[in-house]
Amino acid sequence: MRMDCELVERLLWSALEEHGTVATWENLAMPLLYGMGRKWEDTRRYVEVEHLLSWSVSSVLRRVTGPAPSTARPVVLACLPHEMHGLPLEALAAALRERGRPQRVLGPCTPAEATVRTIARTAPSAVVLWCHAKGDQGVATLRAVARATGAGRLRTALYTAGPGWREAGPLTRITDGHLSSLTEAMTHLLR
C-alpha cells in the first residue's frame, strides 16, 4: 500500500532465489495480486497499487535466468486477442527459463493469425493459450490454433490456461488439456 516497488521487488526476488519461480508465483505473487484485485473490486480504490504490484512482479519475473536454453523445440505462450493481461504467461515463461526450456512469449492482445504464423515459423513442442476474461474471440482463436498445431510434420501439443476457458466446455476437447496452475503447466510442458 506504500507503493514501495523497490521493497516489493527485493522481497519477491529473495523469495524467488530461495524457493524458485513456481513456489514464489503460487504462494506469494499470485495471492498478493489476487488480494489487490479483490480490494479494488470491493472499494473501487487502489488500482494504482494493483498496477504497480503487477509491474513489480513482471520486472522480477523477467530477471529470472537458468541454464542455457536446450535445443528442444520452444513452447509458445500467447494470450487471446481480447486479453489485456498476460502476467501468468510471464510467470510460466520465467519458470521455463529457470529450467532451461526455450519459450516464445507473444503476450497480451495477440491476434489469432500471429499465433498461427508463430507456430508455422517455430515448430513449437507446445502452445499455451491464456484467457482470463471471457470473450467471443476465444472460440475462433482456439479453432485456428488447433488447426495450426495439427498441420505440421511434428506433433505440437495445445493447452488452454486461465479462468476464461471455464465455459468453453466441449471446445477444450480439441486440446491436450487445460492447465489450471503453474505447477500443472510445468508438469505437462517439461515432459
Side-chain angles (χ1 to χ4, degrees):
M1 296 303 288
R2 291 186 318 208
M3 298 186 70
D4 186 345
C5 59
E6 290 82 10
L7 174 63
V8 170
E9 289 181 27
R10 269 196 317 275
L11 292 172
L12 285 168
W13 187 253
S14 177
L16 208 143
E17 285 184 310
E18 185 174 343
H19 304 288
T21 301
V22 173
T24 299
W25 172 256
E26 291 184 344
N27 300 321
L28 181 60
M30 197 170 60
L32 279 170
L33 290 161
Y34 179 78
M36 282 311 305
R38 294 290 306 162
K39 185 173 263 318
W40 180 82
E41 285 178 8
D42 294 345
T43 66
R44 293 297 185 218
R45 295 176 57 209
Y46 308 113
V47 70
E48 68 280 5
V49 176
E50 181 185 12
H51 282 243
L52 190 64
L53 178 59
S54 294
W55 180 262
S56 294
V57 171
S58 178
S59 296
V60 169
L61 290 172
R62 288 176 187 227
R63 290 178 16 211
V64 172
T65 60
S70 71
T71 58
R73 293 164 45 214
V75 175
V76 170
L77 309 174
C79 292
L80 292 184
H82 69 277
E83 194 59 55
M84 301 293 290
H85 303 286
L87 197 52
L89 287 185
E90 290 184 46
L92 179 52
L96 290 167
R97 260 193 325 277
E98 189 175 65
R99 299 291 298 270
R101 191 67 200 269
Q103 64 343 101
R104 303 293 181 266
V105 182
L106 302 181
C109 300
T110 303
E113 307 80 41
T115 303
V116 167
R117 283 193 304 269
T118 301
I119 293 165
R121 292 177 67 188
T122 64
S125 62
V127 175
V128 178
L129 288 178
W130 172 260
C131 180
H132 183 79
K134 293 181 288 185
D136 297 339
Q137 300 170 44
V139 174
T141 300
L142 183 60
R143 286 187 175 134
V145 171
R147 282 190 301 274
T149 59
R153 292 185 340 263
L154 301 172
R155 167 88 171 98
T156 299
L158 173 59
Y159 297 98
T160 56
W165 292 110
R166 282 191 194 119
E167 296 177 16
L171 285 174
T172 57
R173 288 189 209 134
I174 64 174
T175 72
D176 292 279
H178 180 77
L179 306 174
S180 58
S181 70
L182 188 53
T183 298
E184 184 178 359
M186 291 301 288
T187 299
H188 286 278
L189 297 173
L190 291 177
R191 284 188 190 151

